[in-house]
Structure formats: structure tokens, C-alpha cells
Amino acid sequence: MPWRISPADRRAGVRPDPYRIWMSEVMLQQTTVAAVKDYFTRFTQRWPRVSDLAAAKDADVMGEWAGLGYYARARNLLKCARVVANEHGGVFPNTHAALLELPGIGPYTAAAVSSIAYDLPETVLDGNVERVMARLYDVHTPLPAAKPELMVLAEALTPRKRAGDYAQAVMDLGATICTPKNPACGICPWRTPCEGRLAGTHLELPKKTPKKPKPVRQGIAYVAQRVDGAYLLETRPDSGLLGGMLGWPGSEWAETPPTDAIPIRAQWKQIEGEARHTFTHFHLRLTVKTALVPMDRTPDVGHFVDLNEFRPSDLPTVMRKAFDLATGGRKMTEPTLLRSKTR
Ligand code: SF4
């Protein structure tokens, strides 16, 4: 993993960079290592130090984050970088309590940064560690109610020395050996004391409270292209879902059929099919409408972005799905977005 220090480098005295550890941990919240690696590499190449990130334009950071999801993380990433650059001299605080004061840093991230970057004996409890603790101590209380109990057990195991190595090791044990479906107990260093394995219950653990089914919301996205090729986009408000991201103007997203919220006067055509996307708390079905508009038309919502400045990769995934539906997946290099299959 590009944010890790190799054992040989650690022996040679190389310390992990708190900036890189913090960024990796923020990116990894709710996201897999495979999805994060390229984003992490791009971010750290473009902004190698926290002061570089602090000086970045909001739109550039949101554009680089597009596709990684949970966009509040990107806004907090920027806020946090600016606080560290402006109020802490560009150096991340080295205590758990001071890290917790920073924007977007909760108990887990504070523990990860203070243990991995500063070797402080703080306890990390991510989903992987929860699974390992539940199995190791045969805990049958379902998650999320089991979290405090699992934290107490995890804290008792956290060593005072080499806390950073331990934190990474226990997370890796969960990610690679004590996996959800086929744990490799035969090569696990904790196979002898593991109470779940001894009781034969480990495969059922951790228990989880069943989730409620997600509701389905509906909405309309309006993809308008001016005759010179420019697209009509809006920057969404900072607060709320996809806050601060670029997107297509649209209706409210609700569990009832959507009502039109046309952003510019034009001949709108509804595209066959719908763009579907799943958020944490609901499924979304977006109807997509497209229009070509003349040069002199002024939008009621949003602003036109020139074709040579428009990068679909700057859009969050749901908006990219709407764009793909509008264009039939064709690369848009000329002002012809209307698909033949309109309703
Ligand atoms: S022995 Fe098996 S169940 Fe227990 S911690 Fe190791 S991998 Fe997980």
C-alpha cells in the first residue's frame, strides 16, 4: 500500500508521514484499499505536503475526489488541511485529543494517525478489527451494539510499544487472514487462544442487527448542451448530499414521483431508461432529460461549462451515470448529445 513504510525502512528509522497516514485513513473510510490506491497516489503527487493541499482550489480537490463517494470527506479533508497549515504550522498534532479537534477527524482516524504516525498506544477499531475481536473472544452481541464491548477488548490487547506496527498488523490480520467468509485459521497467529474457533462459532461472528431495506427515491436530471458544445452544470450547495460537487441541475429526490424543475427553457426530451445509484440510506432512480439550447438562452439554474473544460471524471458517480445515459456512452467532442432512443 502506497502509504505504508516497509519493515526494512522502519528498522532504518524512517517514520510514517502523518499527512499521508491521515489522507489514506480519510479515503479508506467506507471504501476499499483497491478503490483508494489510485486516488491516494494522484492526491499525493499533486499535493505532496499538507500546505500544498491547503492552498489548492476547492473545485480542484472536489474534482480529484469525484468517483470516490462520501463527498463530505473531501470537504473536510480540505478544511482540515487548512487548519493544520494555518494553525499548526503545517504539522499534524501528535496527541489523540488534539487530532480529534481537527475537522473531519473522529475517534477512529485520530487513533489511526496517533498510533501509526506517532506510535502512541491508541486503539484502532475498524470493521476488520471488530471481526477479529468478536471471534477471538467469542462475542455474540450483535453489531453495532457490540462496539463498546469490542473496544474494551481491543484496548486490552494494544501494546505500549510499537503501537503503530500493532495497529497495522491487527487491521491486516482482519483484512487478509480473519476474512468474513473463509478465515485462514491454520496460519493465524491467534489460532490457539481464539475462543470463537475453539467453540466452532467463528464463521457466524460478528453477529449483526439486520438492516432495514433501503427506500427508493426518484428524481430528474437535466443534461443541457448549448449549440457551441458547452454543458449546463451546477455546483451543489456545500451542505447535503454530494455537497460542493459539480452535477446536472435537477428535481428533488423523493419517494414520490418527481415534479419537473426545468433549469432552462428548451425542448426537453426524456431518455429511455434511468440512471440508478445506491447511496448509504437509499436507492436512487434518475430520469434523464436532454436538450440542445441556443447561444442566447440564459439558465435559471447553473452555469455553462465550455466543452474543452468539461471533464466527466469531475462528476460524482451518479452524475456520470446520468451523463452516460444522456450520451449513450459516446465521448462528447461535438454538440450532439441527443440520442435516438428518446421517449
Ligand atoms: S483463529 Fe481464525 S477466527 Fe480466530 S482470529 Fe484467527 S483467523 Fe480469526
Side-chain angles (χ1 to χ4, degrees):
M1 292 180 230
W3 46 88
R4 286 279 173 87
I5 299 291
S6 72
D9 284 346
R10 287 283 282 124
R11 277 195 296 277
V14 178
R15 295 290 317 154
D17 178 352
Y19 171 59
R20 293 168 68 86
I21 298 301
W22 160 74
M23 184 173 289
S24 67
E25 290 297 341
V26 173
M27 287 183 168
L28 285 165
Q29 289 161 18
Q30 318 276 349
T31 318
T32 62
V33 168
V36 162
K37 272 186 186 170
D38 287 350
Y39 282 88
F40 177 85
T41 303
R42 276 208 308 279
F43 265 73
T44 48
Q45 278 172 352
R46 189 165 178 183
W47 301 294
R49 294 166 307 171
V50 69
S51 53
D52 301 318
L53 182 62
K57 285 186 193 158
D58 291 37
D60 289 345
V61 173
M62 300 312 285
E64 282 293 4
W65 194 277
L68 200 51
Y70 300 95
Y71 295 96
R73 293 182 300 166
R75 294 194 300 279
N76 281 329
L77 192 84
L78 201 43
K79 271 191 213 156
C80 182
R82 288 172 181 161
V83 171
V84 171
N86 299 330
E87 296 174 23
H88 296 272
V91 179
F92 275 83
N94 63 359
T95 66
H96 187 263
L99 285 163
L100 270 178
E101 298 285 313
L102 296 173
I105 294 197
Y108 168 78
T109 308
V113 174
S114 51
S115 62
I116 299 171
Y118 294 120
D119 239 351
L120 296 172
E122 299 291 346
T123 301
V124 292
L125 190 72
D126 67 356
N128 286 320
V129 181
E130 283 172 356
R131 182 169 59 257
V132 174
M133 293 302 133
R135 290 173 172 177
L136 190 57
Y137 293 103
D138 201 23
V139 174
H140 288 240
T141 313
L143 284 167
K147 279 175 189 278
E149 188 180 351
L150 297 175
M151 183 54 132
V152 169
L153 295 168
E155 278 172 346
L157 283 177
T158 302
R160 300 207 61 77
K161 285 188 180 166
R162 295 183 62 194
D165 285 347
Y166 171 78
Q168 293 173 89
V170 72
M171 286 193 282
D172 283 359
L173 180 77
T176 61
I177 293 177
C178 193
T179 51
K181 287 201 176 127
N182 294 305
C185 300
I187 58 165
C188 176
W190 277 335
R191 66 188 172 281
T192 305
C194 179
E195 294 175 21
R197 185 187 71 84
L198 293 171
T201 53
H202 55 307
L203 292 178
E204 304 157 22
L205 300 174
K207 297 218 185 274
K208 290 183 182 165
T209 305
K211 286 184 185 158
K212 285 190 200 143
K214 292 181 185 183
V216 177
R217 294 189 191 169
Q218 304 167 63
I220 306 171
Y222 297 90
V223 181
Q225 193 175 31
R226 216 166 46 189
V227 290
D228 67 344
Y231 282 105
L232 180 62
L233 288 151
E234 67 169 353
T235 304
R236 296 174 65 86
D238 270 352
S239 58
L241 208 60
L242 310 181
M245 298 299 294
L246 265 188
W248 308 109
S251 68
E252 296 290 322
W253 298 345
E255 288 174 45
T256 49
T259 45
D260 264 315
I262 288 167
I264 189 167
R265 195 161 48 83
Q267 287 278 8
W268 288 97
K269 293 186 178 174
Q270 184 171 329
I271 298 290
E272 195 175 279
E274 54 192 12
R276 294 183 173 202
H277 190 72
T278 295
F279 291 95
T280 316
H281 299 298
F282 64 94
H283 301 289
L284 178 65
R285 295 184 179 176
L286 269 187
T287 297
V288 177
K289 296 188 178 185
T290 64
L292 271 175
V293 293
M295 289 300 291
D296 58 356
R297 210 57 67 81
T298 307
D300 297 324
V301 178
H303 55 278
F304 280 101
V305 175
D306 285 346
L307 188 58
N308 58 11
E309 286 173 16
F310 172 66
R311 294 192 312 169
S313 61
D314 284 349
L315 299 172
T317 306
V318 62
M319 296 296 172
R320 226 178 299 168
K321 287 179 181 174
F323 178 69
D324 287 345
L325 190 64
T327 61
R330 280 177 287 136
K331 203 168 177 178
M332 293 309 296
T333 51
E334 54 187 39
T336 50
L337 67 74
L338 294 181
R339 292 176 71 206
S340 50
K341 276 195 160 181
T342 49
R343 266 192 190 163

